[in-house]
Structures are given as structure tokens and as C-alpha cells.
């Protein structure tokens, strides 16, 4: 929790250390830094997804926090769309604007989880195409390590 000074200090110190670690990696290799972040975003998505599966009933019984409603619904949607870089195309070939549904705390966690997947897709595009919008949403795949690529091409 955030009530203990020690908890906050440890969390902030870890975030500070991680920031500088990724900055150092980025100064050596942009692709490696993006790939590291891609792996972390994928892990975050899977962690949220597991939590949703394990606590669905409890989360569906709790209300939407005001801060989540403000972020996902009330704030300027331009910023939300700006950071949702890998979108699906609609029937007219235009990129859709994702607007989440919020009925319970479960929906908030679904949207946070889905945000992690959006970050993952953006990072995959940066690693593979050096472009935030390299390919369409449905075609995004995780970056393969060089050894995986060599092994799959020889088999």
C-alpha cells in the first residue's frame, strides 16, 4: 500500500533505478530498450489478465472509482486517442477510436489491462519497424529473439 513511507520510498527508488537503467540501455541500443519494455508490458498484461480471471466476481461488485471515470470518459479524448497508437480499422477503413465501457471496477481493470496491450503493440512496432504505427493492430506479433528466428528458419 501507499500508507507506509518505506513502501513509497522503495517503489519510487525502484522506478527511478529502472528509468536510468532503460535510459542507459537506450543510449547503447534503442531496439534493445524497446524490446525490454515490450517484455515488461506483455508481463503486465498477463498479470492483469490473471487477476481479472481470479477476482471477476469481487471486481464486478465494486463501483468505478471517480479517477478512472475521469481518465477514461470525461477527460479530453484527444489525449486518449493520441496514446492509443495501434488501432483497429472499422468497416470504412478508418481507424477506430476506442472508448471504454465502465460499469464496475472490473471494467476499469479490463481497460488498464488493455492499455498494457496497447503499449505492447506500440513497442513491438518500434522494435520491428522503428515506427509506432508500423502495421495494423490485428497483425502485431511479439518480437522474436534472433536465436528464435534462426532456429525457426532452419527447421
Amino acid at each position: 500500500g501507499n500508507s507506509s513511507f518505506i513502501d513509497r520510498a522503495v517503489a519510487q527508488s525502484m522506478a527511478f533505478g529502472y528509468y536510468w537503467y532503460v535510459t542507459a540501455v537506450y543510449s547503447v541500443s534503442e531496439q534493445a530498450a524497446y524490446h525490454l519494455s515490450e517484455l515488461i508490458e506483455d508481463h503486465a498484461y498477463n498479470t492483469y489478465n490473471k487477476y481479472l480471471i481470479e477476482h471477476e466476481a469481487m471486481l464486478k461488485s465494486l463501483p468505478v472509482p471517480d479517477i478512472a471515470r475521469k481518465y477514461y470518459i470525461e477527460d479530453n479524448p484527444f489525449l486518449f486517442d493520441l496514446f492509443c497508437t495501434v488501432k483497429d480499422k472499422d468497416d470504412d477503413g478508418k481507424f477506430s477510436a476506442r472508448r471504454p465501457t465502465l460499469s464496475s471496477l472490473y471494467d476499469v481493470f479490463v481497460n488498464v489491462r488493455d492499455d498494457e496491450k496497447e503499449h505492447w503493440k506500440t513497442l513491438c512496432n518500434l522494435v520491428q519497424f522503428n515506427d509506432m504505427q508500423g502495421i495494423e493492430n490485428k497483425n502485431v506479433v511479439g518480437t522474436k529473439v534472433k536465436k528464435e528466428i534462426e532456429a525457426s528458419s532452419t527447421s
Side-chain angles (χ1 to χ4, degrees):
N2 64 356
S3 59
S4 168
F5 171 77
I6 299 293
D7 289 346
R8 289 192 310 273
V10 168
Q12 290 174 353
S13 297
M14 289 176 67
F16 182 78
Y18 172 75
Y19 170 82
W20 285 110
Y21 175 74
V22 173
T23 300
V25 171
Y26 185 87
S27 69
V28 175
S29 170
E30 289 178 27
Q31 300 303 82
Y34 292 145
H35 185 62
L36 173 63
S37 295
E38 174 190 337
L39 295 173
I40 290 169
E41 296 293 348
D42 189 46
H43 177 72
Y45 174 87
N46 291 323
T47 301
Y48 280 113
N49 198 51
K50 181 180 176 190
Y51 186 80
L52 282 162
I53 291 166
E54 293 173 356
H55 302 283
E56 181 176 359
M58 181 266 301
L59 292 169
K60 284 186 173 182
S61 72
L62 297 171
V64 176
D66 291 339
I67 190 71
R69 190 172 310 285
K70 181 177 182 330
Y71 176 76
Y72 284 110
I73 296 173
E74 296 168 7
D75 280 351
N76 184 346
F78 168 77
L79 294 175
F80 189 83
D81 289 339
L82 181 67
F83 292 107
C84 183
T85 57
V86 186
K87 300 179 176 108
D88 290 313
K89 289 186 178 179
D90 62 18
D91 294 336
D92 297 326
K94 296 180 182 173
F95 287 106
S96 64
R98 183 169 67 96
R99 288 293 171 265
T101 302
L102 294 178
S103 301
S104 67
L105 188 57
Y106 179 84
D107 296 325
V108 175
F109 273 87
V110 166
N111 284 296
V112 171
R113 179 203 61 191
D114 292 352
D115 286 348
E116 299 301 337
K117 187 57 95 177
E118 289 300 320
H119 304 159
W120 173 83
K121 289 185 279 190
T122 299
L123 289 159
C124 288
N125 276 323
L126 284 168
V127 172
Q128 298 168 34
F129 303 102
N130 203 30
D131 183 350
M132 286 181 17
Q133 299 171 333
I135 61 172
E136 190 178 343
N137 187 9
K138 65 183 177 187
N139 298 323
V140 176
V141 294
T143 304
K144 294 186 178 178
V145 179
K146 195 173 191 176
K147 289 179 185 178
E148 285 180 56
I149 295 169
E150 291 168 357
S152 66
S153 65
T154 58
S155 46

